[in-house]
Amino acid sequence: MAQTNHFDSIAEVFNRIWYFSDDYKEFVIRHIREDLSLTPEDVLVDIGGGTGTFTSRLVDEAHLTHAYCVEPSSSMCSEAAKLENITAICCDADDFLASHTPFSKMLFKEVIHHIPNRAEFWKTLYTSFQNGGKALIITRPQKIDFPFFSAAKEAFARHQPPQELIERELCNGGFETTTHHRSHTFTLPKEDWYTMLRHRFMSDLGVFSDEEIEEGIVEIEKKYPEKTIDIIDNLIFIIAIKKGY
Ligand SMILES: C[S@@+](CC[C@H](N)C(=O)[O-])C[C@H]1O[C@@H](n2cnc3c(N)ncnc32)[C@H](O)[C@@H]1O
């Protein structure tokens, strides 16, 4: 079922404004392939796959024959539907599980904070997997190192579930978990970073008015006088396995 969300308004510019450098993509793709132990026999589901950029790259690089990009924003999903090597499905995570579509691996990249009733969701996911099924959650710590203005940092922390909570929920759902902390830094011309902020490239920025964003940029400008800015992306990779005995 299609629904309207923050990402409907930024779908067209998402790939352009989110700074997906080749280095960044390679770093993320390499770890997803390793953490999910992807083989050509796997059927991958990318929950909240957005415009399908990562789903499509994973299909090519892991030589998958089938992958779904599950995306509730109809605008984002229409972008994903343009990619011929993946199947874009316009629905949310719960509706996808309810469809009983078979799959072996599931990816949640930067989406876990959008999933409601996670405790229930993990239990259903556990029963949907065969033994050996794996999920990978890529998320961020509540205290983000991005050069945000302070109100944006607070908004981010409010919406981000702590790592320990996600791990506990997964264990209660039957999964065994392993967690890795990995960091990637990229340097951007400051104007590019400000463009990302003005486009509210992350949903946590959606609550701020144009005026508040401009005030936030003034706050950042005082702290970072140089022409470029370092974006330190500290990512948390939580692998959840259905062992089965
Ligand atoms: C930050 S974007 C991440 C997109 C993509 N995974 C990436 O890393 O490029 C979060 C995505 O999750 C989607 N989303 C929000 N709620 C969702 C839900 N309940 N189930 C599945 N996806 C959801 C949003 O529409 C949005 O496209």
Side-chain angles (χ1 to χ4, degrees):
M1 187 215 329
Q3 68 182 54
T4 302
N5 70 21
H6 171 76
F7 293 95
D8 282 323
S9 58
I10 61 165
E12 189 265 325
V13 291
F14 186 77
N15 290 342
R16 199 153 31 88
I17 57 164
W18 230 135
Y19 193 67
F20 291 139
S21 71
D22 285 345
D23 263 10
Y24 177 79
K25 276 192 223 159
E26 273 156 32
F27 156 81
V28 175
I29 297 276
R30 176 165 47 89
H31 286 300
I32 295 172
R33 284 184 62 186
E34 283 168 13
D35 288 350
L36 281 178
S37 327
L38 283 178
T39 70
E41 290 72 41
D42 276 320
V43 176
L44 173 70
V45 181
D46 185 2
I47 293 287
T51 52
T53 307
F54 287 92
T55 333
S56 176
R57 276 280 298 261
L58 285 162
V59 166
D60 283 344
E61 297 192 20
H63 309 291
L64 306 176
T65 51
H66 217 124
Y68 299 98
C69 173
V70 171
E71 174 50 56
S73 151
S74 51
S75 311
M76 296 286 264
C77 198
S78 313
E79 292 295 315
K82 294 176 188 165
L83 301 170
E84 287 178 357
N85 64 345
I86 62 173
T87 304
I89 302 183
C90 192
C91 73
D92 67 18
D94 287 311
D95 287 343
F96 179 79
L97 282 193
S99 71
H100 300 292
T101 307
F103 61 93
S104 57
K105 304 282 166 71
M106 193 170 260
L107 172 65
F108 303 80
K109 181 175 173 297
E110 301 178 47
V111 64
I112 203 62
H113 50 291
H114 294 297
I115 310 281
N117 307 319
R118 284 191 310 271
E120 267 317 298
F121 181 83
W122 299 134
K123 286 181 188 151
T124 313
L125 178 60
Y126 189 83
T127 55
S128 307
F129 269 138
Q130 304 279 325
N131 288 348
K134 265 189 180 185
L136 174 64
I137 294 110
I138 305 179
T139 185
R140 295 191 171 88
Q142 288 181 299
K143 191 173 171 304
I144 196 164
D145 266 336
F146 279 177
F148 274 170
F149 46 97
S150 25
K153 286 194 176 199
E154 283 159 25
F156 181 86
R158 266 198 305 279
H159 299 139
Q160 204 62 17
Q163 170 196 331
E164 298 73 20
L165 175 64
I166 302 171
E167 288 166 339
R168 204 165 47 244
E169 289 167 356
L170 284 162
C171 288
N172 290 340
F175 289 99
E176 287 193 18
T177 65
T178 310
T179 299
H180 302 282
H181 290 236
R182 297 168 178 136
S183 185
H184 187 85
T185 300
F186 46 97
T187 305
L188 285 183
K190 236 172 12 185
E191 274 315 311
D192 290 359
W193 179 241
Y194 295 160
T195 302
M196 289 169 69
L197 295 177
R198 287 186 179 114
H199 276 291
R200 295 154 177 86
F201 74 103
M202 286 176 104
S203 56
D204 310 280
L205 298 169
V207 295
F208 298 106
S209 65
D210 288 351
E211 229 171 40
E212 287 166 329
I213 294 276
E214 293 310 321
E215 282 166 14
I217 289 174
V218 172
E219 184 187 318
I220 298 169
E221 191 64 28
K222 284 189 191 141
K223 215 168 152 191
Y224 301 91
E226 293 80 22
K227 281 201 161 62
T228 58
I229 199 159
D230 282 347
I231 322 291
I232 303 167
D233 199 0
N234 291 324
L235 291 168
I236 303 173
F237 293 69
I238 304 174
I239 308 166
I241 308 178
K242 173 170 176 172
K243 281 262 165 92
Y245 296 101

